[in-house]
Every structure is written in C-alpha cells, then in structure tokens.
C-alpha cells in the first residue's frame, strides 16, 4: 500500500511539474511574440515621421537643359531694294524781252545730263546765258565777253564769280537787268536761294558798287528783295 501511495504522489508531482513547465514555456513564447509584433500606433508614428521628414527636405530644382535647341524659321523672300529715281534737274536761263515800254525776264529751260550735280546744272545755265546767240524775241543786257570764272554752292548760298567785262558799259537800267539775269539764273533750282555775285573775285555789295558809280547792291541777293528794290518785271 505504501508503494502505491508513493507512486501516486510521485505521479502527481510529475504532472504538476509538467504543467508548470508548460506554463513557463508558453508564457515565454507569448512574451516573445508580443515584443516582435508591430503595433498600430508605432506604424502611425513612423508614417508621420516619414511625412514630416519629407516635408522638411527642400525640393530639388532641376536646371533647364543647356542643350542648344534649333528653331527653324520660315524662309524670307528677299526683295531687292528699289533705288529712288534720280531727279532730273531743270535749270533755267533768264533772258530779257521788251514788251512795249516794259522789260521783262523770260526763263528758258536748259537741258543737262542725267545725274548732273546742282553746280554742274547751274554752270550750264549761266554758260548758256553768256555764250548763246541772241534771238529776235529774247536778248541780254550782259556785256559781250563776260565769262563765268566760277560757281560754287555753299551752305550759305550760291557764289558766282564773273569776269571784269560784266561791270563795263551801259546805263542804270542795263546794269539792273544784267544783275537780275544772273540772280534769277543762279537761283533757278531754288528760287529762295541767296546769291553772292563777284566781279574778278570782288563781292558786289555796299562797299563795292557795280560799275564804279553804278548801282549799289545788297549782299547776298534774293529774288524777293531785288524785285522789291528795283521793281523788276517778270
């Protein structure tokens, strides 16, 4: 009886020990599983950390590409430049004509070459006046042998230099109209031009009258003033 009772007690101890061992092992396993299991709060915090960290990172600015871009343009049609047509100068020679008791100035066109300069055109008109023969209707008051020594266009006007014959002979009326012929001819390209008339290089003005004691002229001369001063008909 004693042996059976001892065996029963040992058997109960053995079962209790096994149960205790199972409890210890099971508790250890449960603790290990809980420590390794991800928690919802932990995930949320991690996500929040990641987002806040990303928001604090400055955005990376991408520089534009430095590669050259070829842009094609539509072809332009080349239009040749049109040069303005050269203006044909039309200088005039002024003659005198007797109409009853009046003497009037009469213009006559002078043909010059294309593209001739203004100086060339005026020289041609004055040479025509000095060298052309008189006609029945038109005449001149300029003394024979008068030559054009020079003509120059300057910013201040037209300078005309005549030989000494221009100041010789004739009365007051002849001198007035010979000056008028030169003045109007020299200003035929520009009626308002100022004209300086010289004889052998001496400027005709208040200090050097035409023909010694002839007529005293203003310098420079203009058509408007000369016509008013000497009552020229034209």
């Amino acid at each position: 009886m004693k042996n059976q009772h001892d065996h029963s007690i040992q058997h109960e101890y053995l079962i209790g020990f096994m149960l205790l061992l199972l409890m210890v092992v099971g508790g250890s396993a449960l603790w290990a599983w809980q420590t390794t299991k991800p928690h919802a709060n932990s995930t949320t915090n991690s996500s929040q950390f990641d987002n806040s960290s990303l928001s604090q990172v400055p955005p990376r600015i991408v520089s534009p590409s430095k590669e050259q871009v070829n842009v094609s343009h539509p072809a332009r049609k080349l239009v040749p430049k049109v040069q303005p047509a050269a203006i044909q100068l039309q200088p005039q020679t002024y003659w005198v004509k007797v109409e009853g008791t009046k003497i009037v100035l009469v213009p006559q066109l002078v043909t010059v070459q294309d593209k001739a300069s203004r100086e060339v055109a005026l020289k041609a008109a004055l040479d025509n006046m000095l060298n052309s023969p008189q006609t029945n209707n038109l005449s001149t008051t300029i003394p024979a042998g008068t030559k054009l020594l020079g003509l120059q266009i300057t910013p201040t006007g037209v300078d005309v230099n005549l030989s000494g014959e221009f100041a010789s002979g004739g009365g007051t009326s002849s001198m007035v109209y010979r000056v008028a012929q030169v003045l109007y001819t020299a200003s035929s390209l520009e009626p308002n031009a100022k004209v300086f008339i010289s004889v052998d290089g001496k400027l005709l003005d208040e200090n050097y009258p035409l023909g010694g004691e002839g007529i005293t002229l203003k310098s420079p001369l203009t058509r408007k003033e000369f016509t008013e001063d000497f009552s020229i008909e034209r």
Side-chain angles (χ1 to χ4, degrees):
M1 294 296 292
K2 185 177 179 180
N3 291 333
Q4 291 181 352
H5 179 74
D6 293 336
H7 286 295
S8 175
I9 293 173
Q10 292 178 353
H11 180 71
E12 290 177 358
Y13 283 152
L14 181 60
I15 293 174
F17 177 77
M18 292 296 293
L19 291 175
L20 179 61
L21 181 61
L22 289 175
M23 290 177 62
V24 172
V25 173
S28 299
L30 179 61
W31 177 82
W33 177 80
Q34 288 180 347
T35 55
T36 57
K37 180 181 178 180
H39 298 282
N41 292 337
S42 176
T43 303
T44 303
N45 292 338
S46 176
S47 175
Q48 292 177 352
F49 173 79
D50 292 341
N51 291 336
S52 62
S53 299
L54 290 175
S55 64
Q56 294 177 0
V57 177
R60 184 169 64 93
I61 300 176
V62 180
S63 301
S65 175
K66 295 184 180 179
E67 295 182 358
Q68 183 177 2
V69 179
N70 294 324
V71 181
S72 60
H73 297 279
R76 295 182 181 180
K77 184 178 180 180
L78 297 178
V79 179
K81 293 183 179 180
V82 179
Q83 296 293 337
I87 299 176
Q88 178 65 40
L89 299 177
Q90 294 182 330
Q92 296 173 323
T93 294
Y94 278 80
W95 305 94
V96 293
K97 181 179 180 181
V98 178
E99 294 181 348
T101 59
K102 296 181 180 179
I103 300 176
V104 296
L105 293 173
V106 179
Q108 185 182 57
L109 287 174
V110 177
T111 302
V112 296
Q113 295 180 350
D114 293 343
K115 300 181 180 180
S117 67
R118 298 169 65 86
E119 288 186 353
V120 170
L122 292 180
K123 286 179 181 179
L126 287 168
D127 285 335
N128 180 60
M129 180 182 63
L130 297 175
N131 301 319
S132 296
Q134 300 179 21
T135 65
N136 294 330
N137 296 325
L138 302 177
S139 60
T140 182
T141 56
I142 297 176
T146 301
K147 297 179 179 60
L148 177 64
L149 301 180
L151 182 144
Q152 185 178 10
I153 298 177
T154 69
T156 57
V158 181
D159 295 336
V160 179
N161 187 21
L162 301 169
S163 63
E165 289 83 357
F166 183 76
S168 62
T172 301
S173 179
S174 173
M175 290 186 180
V176 168
Y177 275 93
R178 75 182 66 171
V179 172
Q181 282 184 257
V182 175
L183 169 61
Y184 274 77
T185 300
S187 60
S188 60
L189 295 178
E190 186 179 349
N192 296 324
K194 297 178 180 180
V195 179
F196 300 83
I197 300 177
S198 299
V199 174
D200 287 335
K202 296 181 180 180
L203 181 64
L204 297 178
D205 57 12
E206 293 86 350
N207 298 321
Y208 187 69
L210 177 62
E213 297 180 357
I215 61 173
T216 300
L217 302 172
K218 295 179 181 179
S219 185
L221 297 171
T222 62
R223 288 187 179 187
K224 183 176 183 300
E225 291 183 355
F226 189 80
T227 300
E228 292 174 352
D229 292 342
F230 295 99
S231 301
I232 296 296
E233 297 285 344
R234 62 174 303 272

